[in-house]
Amino acid sequence: MIVLSVGMPRAGSGWHYNLIHDLMKTTGCADARDIRERYRLQSVLTEVNCNIGVLSARRLGLVMIPALVNTFVIKAHSAPTNASRLLSTLGRLRITYIYRDPRDAMLSAFDFGQRALTKGRPNAFSHLSDFDKSMDFMMEYVHIWEKWIKEKNVLTARYEDLLTNYDVESAKLVEYLKLNGSRPEVRKVIEQYRPSTAEGQQGLHFYKGKIGRFREAYNDEQKSLLKEKLGPYLTQMGYNT
């Protein structure tokens, strides 16, 4: 079986992935990075967090070969597909999805991309050179969110809820993964990734990961545009406009 950790970009998806990965390792399941090397899946899974990219039948088929004899955790930011739905229905794919207020995620993506440019190491967000490009980019992932929340058998979580109500949200995750939450190994992982503990750890998306930061960063015109574009989605997501 594969556990697929999907997330909106800059929504704590790295934190969520690593939490899930380490929780599953308490069961003795394989490290996805080892699977990537052993089965020569470098063209399918990225080195960092083993991101599969699009959930195409070809890519899922390739990672399902080692999943016949291993359980491991991979990551994605992409939309569900017929192939992912089929594998989920068959019990070969267990899926979690994390999202965040898209206004904060959008601001975080822009900041992250610009910081990388300043350091001379452009990343996947460095092309977001202005507000409009950032908004268009985030709208794509809002539409992906819209698809994931309609999927069956997917555990959805909000970044903000994990920050503010970690015990409840982590308990939901442990139950969904069919783990024993009272086991010391499981409790150790849960505590390791507690926000107050994990803050500052590299790769866990806590750099300026504050709730509602967009309200101070964007001007009134920009916030008005965001409200116009995102209003209905924000209401469904449970955020104030």
Side-chain angles (χ1 to χ4, degrees):
M1 184 187 71
I2 290 175
V3 179
L4 176 64
S5 175
V6 190
M8 181 183 283
R10 308 306 296 171
S13 58
W15 171 40
H16 209 226
Y17 169 81
N18 284 290
L19 169 60
I20 293 166
H21 182 277
D22 288 3
L23 281 171
M24 291 304 297
K25 280 193 76 174
T26 66
T27 68
C29 80
D31 187 312
R33 289 170 285 267
D34 294 338
I35 294 291
R36 179 179 179 270
E37 297 300 319
R38 195 189 323 160
Y39 290 86
R40 299 180 180 178
L41 294 172
Q42 291 90 342
S43 64
V44 180
L45 299 175
T46 62
E47 184 176 4
V48 178
N49 292 344
C50 292
N51 192 322
I52 192 174
V54 295
L55 300 173
S56 65
R58 184 187 75 84
R59 284 176 171 266
L60 285 169
L62 288 171
V63 296
M64 275 298 156
I65 294 171
L68 294 173
V69 290
N70 298 277
T71 295
F72 53 98
V73 186
I74 62 176
K75 186 184 175 188
H77 290 299
S78 49
T81 60
N82 288 334
S84 68
R85 291 184 189 105
L86 175 61
L87 291 169
S88 175
T89 301
L90 293 174
R92 306 300 298 174
L93 203 60
R94 190 169 296 163
I95 306 170
T96 68
Y97 177 75
I98 186 170
Y99 65 96
R100 179 186 187 183
D101 187 323
R103 297 164 294 187
D104 279 331
M106 169 182 156
L107 177 60
S108 179
F110 171 79
D111 284 349
F112 189 47
Q114 295 307 299
R115 286 200 307 274
L117 270 181
T118 301
K119 295 174 182 177
R121 297 194 298 270
N123 60 29
F125 305 104
S126 295
H127 68 288
L128 304 177
S129 55
D130 58 35
F131 177 85
D132 290 336
K133 287 180 181 177
S134 301
M135 184 163 63
D136 289 343
F137 171 82
M138 191 48 59
M139 284 306 301
E140 293 181 27
Y141 288 98
V142 169
H143 294 312
I144 288 174
W145 163 84
E146 196 172 22
K147 293 175 181 177
W148 276 115
I149 60 164
K150 295 176 182 176
E151 292 292 297
K152 297 177 180 178
N153 305 318
V154 174
L155 177 69
T156 59
R158 296 196 316 173
Y159 174 77
E160 294 85 357
D161 292 335
L162 273 158
L163 283 184
T164 60
N165 206 3
Y166 181 71
D167 288 327
V168 170
E169 294 300 315
S170 60
K172 288 179 188 176
L173 180 59
V174 166
E175 181 180 3
Y176 180 73
L177 296 174
K178 302 186 186 303
L179 305 178
N180 182 348
S182 63
R183 286 181 60 211
E185 301 94 325
V186 173
R187 294 309 315 163
K188 182 179 178 181
V189 173
I190 292 294
E191 289 307 313
Q192 179 187 347
Y193 285 92
R194 184 175 293 278
S196 57
T197 304
E199 189 165 3
Q201 289 188 38
Q202 187 175 6
L204 296 186
H205 296 257
F206 281 99
Y207 185 88
K208 294 186 178 179
K210 309 304 179 188
I211 299 171
R213 190 168 69 91
F214 77 91
R215 297 188 187 278
E216 285 72 47
Y218 292 135
N219 61 38
D220 289 343
E221 182 182 355
Q222 290 169 332
K223 283 185 281 190
S224 179
L225 283 170
L226 286 170
K227 184 175 181 179
E228 179 184 335
K229 197 96 169 176
L230 291 169
Y233 301 106
L234 294 170
T235 301
Q236 291 178 62
M237 290 177 172
Y239 300 117
N240 294 325
T241 56

